[in-house]
Amino acid sequence: MTAMKKIGTRRIDTYASGQKMVEVIHSFSHRILRCVNCGVSRTDFLKQILKILIDFSGCDAVELQLKEGKKYYRCEDVRSSKQPFRFEIMPCVKDKDDKIIPCAWNDSDLGRLCRDVARAQFDSSSPFFTKRGSFWTGDTGKSLVFRSKPKRQVHTYNLYIKGGYKSLALFPLTIGDERIGLLQLKNKRRDYFVEDEIGFYESLAQTLGVALVNYLMQAALCERVKELTCLYNISQVAQRPDISLKEILQGIVEILPLAWQYSDIAFSKIILDGHSYSTPGFQECRQKQTADIVVNGVRRGVVEVGYAEEKVEIDEGPFLKEERNLIDAVTTRIALIIKRKQAEEERLNIQNQLRHADRLATIGELAAGVAHELNEPLGNILGFAQLVKKCPRLPKQVKQDIENIVTASLYAREVIKKLMFFARQTPPKKNMINVNKVVEEGLHFLESRCAKEGIKLVRSFSPDLPEITADPAQLNQVLVNLVVNAIQAMSRGGRLTIRTLACDSYISLIVEDTGIGMSNEVVKRIFTPFFTTKEVGQGTGLGLPVVHGIVTSHGGSIKVESKVGRGTRFEIQLPMTKLP
């Protein structure tokens, strides 16, 4: 039987010499330090320490009370128990010197005794005490009388220890002049401890105190390294070129579990604007830590880290205070990434708008020149064709050909007129108008075509629509272009809804169909001149650019929503301005 086993069986003679005591303490210290350097979680470390102490001392129960910052926690291991290990945070109060001290849940004599021994409140010359301030008794059933250190008051304690423990020893844990906790040994046998053993345990308690402080320092450093590594990895992901926000968020959720204490059972999830990103195999956890993602004062989502298994309570549930700091830092970093991505998107949108405006200006100048150049020869063609039609005795086929020439010339003239509108060569003639009336007049000529195509036309006009300043002819052209496009998108019939609404500073004209819809790529290009998805000869690609030009010339805007197979919705917003 080794020396470590013999201490528990009370055979002290085997290490009575100083050399033997040094060997035993060295062996104990070696086992403790091996635990310190294992890199395990705090609760696993304490569980190992208590297991070593139970095996070493032969006691039935061992308890540690430890101070960390402004908190105290206690852990206990009981021999031959179904749940031998227990860990919990102790409630604390401030004393008259504003120091944090632990207090028992119930004001028991044992709780007060532990607290006062940890604070060195007793005269060490009192019975049951050692010069180092340790306490021990072989019979907890007897009343104990002590004298306090400050005022030398006499205190009587009637110790009743649940579990039938008869022998009790308390050893303060100290580092220099600072007391960091208390070691409690309990045994169900009377007179289990003897005086020679107490001094030996005091030496072990000193070693234990050093080991605990070293572990806490290593654990704090480890947590800091994990925190910085996590934030660094997030920065590396966010700085990758041409990476989307979705890819960044997915990368972050896969980084997060590694920074938490129980990384092997940790899962993480990020929810942003209703979209969820989670670690592979994610499962909902009862114990989880969350933090809100707040961008410009608006809550946009949440970051969540949880454990798949139940763990003991520490700082925030089973989570450390360092992990609370980390998850808050992660949400702050995510908010910054979102702001940066939004700024990039806005910059790209502005660049695209500038390029688009420059392209429109160039095309407008070209269109204006082409229109002017074509107007004269086109007028000649149309005029001569109409003169030829008046000649008598023309063959029927010739008359038909001339009629085709006139029709084609009129169509070409309409195209040129659209080019003139697009190039802003035709100035608007604005008056105070009622949009409902303009829309109704325009639908009068389109209603029959809708019926012919099997399209149900639905009107929904706001009855109290205020008048606005606009060119009725140009607004009519806007309506016609949008309705014709809607009709062409519903070749198998459908529903066409025309709606007007009044808001605080503008009115809306809404044209909504149930046609084939458009993809996002097509929607981005519909206002580009000469862009069309129609077959050759079916469209000029100028209808929607002309609509855009008319609306913007009135100080308005256009919103487009479309889904493939479900239809398209155009909303024209015109400001409520009056003639000067």
Side-chain angles (χ1 to χ4, degrees), residues 191-225:
D191 300 321
Y192 182 76
F193 303 107
V194 295
E195 187 172 357
D196 291 340
E197 287 182 330
I198 298 304
F200 180 78
Y201 281 124
E202 286 180 328
S203 298
L204 296 185
Q206 186 175 4
T207 300
L208 181 61
V210 173
L212 290 169
V213 170
N214 286 338
Y215 172 80
L216 292 177
M217 292 175 62
Q218 286 191 28
L221 178 60
C222 181
E223 291 302 319
R224 184 58 177 164
V225 169

Side-chain angles (χ1 to χ4, degrees), residues 420-471:
M420 298 292 284
F421 272 121
F422 172 72
R424 305 285 179 84
Q425 295 294 312
T426 304
K429 298 178 181 178
K430 296 183 178 180
N431 300 303
M432 293 299 295
I433 64 167
N434 184 291
V435 174
N436 284 346
K437 183 177 179 182
V438 174
V439 172
E440 188 60 56
E441 290 174 353
L443 292 177
H444 177 73
F445 298 100
L446 297 166
E447 192 166 10
S448 59
R449 183 173 176 183
C450 289
K452 182 179 179 181
E453 298 291 339
I455 297 171
K456 182 179 180 181
L457 182 61
V458 179
R459 296 173 174 85
S460 179
F461 299 157
S462 176
D464 300 324
L465 205 65
E467 291 188 344
I468 64 169
T469 303
D471 184 327

Side-chain angles (χ1 to χ4, degrees), residues 40 107 219 237 263 274 295 308 310 401 469 471 533 555:
V40 297
D107 194 22
V237 170
S263 57
V295 183
E310 296 289 320
D401 292 339
T469 303
D471 184 327
T533 58

Side-chain angles (χ1 to χ4, degrees), residues 234 304 312 508:
I234 290 174
E304 173 185 315
V312 297
S508 292

Side-chain angles (χ1 to χ4, degrees), residues 11 15 66 96 119 131 166 186 206 211 216 277 336 338 357 368 392 403 405 454 461 472 477 483 535 568 572:
R11 295 170 59 181
Y15 61 88
L66 299 172
K96 61 181 180 179
R119 297 170 60 211
K131 292 181 179 180
K166 304 300 182 181
K186 294 180 284 189
Q206 186 175 4
L216 292 177
Y277 311 87
L336 292 174
I338 294 171
E403 187 63 36
I405 292 173
F461 299 157
Q477 185 172 0
V483 171
E535 296 180 2
T568 302
I572 310 297

Side-chain angles (χ1 to χ4, degrees), residues 307-490:
Y307 292 141
E309 300 174 7
E310 296 289 320
K311 291 295 180 181
V312 297
E313 302 282 326
I314 304 180
D315 294 330
E316 182 184 330
F319 303 101
L320 302 172
K321 63 181 180 181
E322 292 86 359
E323 291 166 343
R324 162 52 57 191
N325 296 335
L326 176 57
I327 197 171
D328 289 340
V330 168
T331 55
T332 300
R333 188 67 55 88
I334 290 174
L336 292 174
I337 292 171
I338 294 171
K339 290 180 181 179
R340 193 190 72 198
K341 283 294 182 182
Q342 288 177 341
E344 290 176 358
E345 291 176 0
E346 290 173 2
R347 178 174 55 82
L348 291 175
N349 287 335
I350 291 173
Q351 290 179 350
N352 290 334
Q353 289 174 10
L354 289 174
R355 283 194 290 266
H356 183 64
D358 182 66
R359 185 165 61 247
L360 289 179
T362 302
I363 295 175
E365 292 177 3
L366 175 64
V370 171
H372 284 299
E373 291 296 327
L374 290 179
N375 259 338
E376 185 176 350
L378 189 59
N380 291 334
I381 293 171
L382 187 58
F384 283 121
Q386 289 174 339
L387 286 175
V388 172
K389 282 177 62 177
K390 295 179 180 180
C391 293
R393 296 185 300 277
L394 286 175
K396 183 178 180 181
Q397 183 60 46
V398 174
K399 286 184 178 181
Q400 183 61 45
D401 292 339
I402 293 173
E403 187 63 36
N404 290 340
I405 292 173
V406 171
T407 301
S409 299
L410 291 173
Y411 175 76
R413 190 167 67 178
E414 286 300 315
V415 172
I416 291 173
K417 189 180 295 184
K418 288 183 179 180
L419 283 172
M420 298 292 284
F421 272 121
F422 172 72
R424 305 285 179 84
Q425 295 294 312
T426 304
K429 298 178 181 178
K430 296 183 178 180
N431 300 303
M432 293 299 295
I433 64 167
N434 184 291
V435 174
N436 284 346
K437 183 177 179 182
V438 174
V439 172
E440 188 60 56
E441 290 174 353
L443 292 177
H444 177 73
F445 298 100
L446 297 166
E447 192 166 10
S448 59
R449 183 173 176 183
C450 289
K452 182 179 179 181
E453 298 291 339
I455 297 171
K456 182 179 180 181
L457 182 61
V458 179
R459 296 173 174 85
S460 179
F461 299 157
S462 176
D464 300 324
L465 205 65
E467 291 188 344
I468 64 169
T469 303
D471 184 327
Q474 290 188 356
L475 287 190
N476 184 67
Q477 185 172 0
V478 168
L479 175 70
V480 170
N481 284 349
L482 293 179
V483 171
V484 168
N485 281 351
I487 291 173
Q488 292 174 345
M490 295 186 287

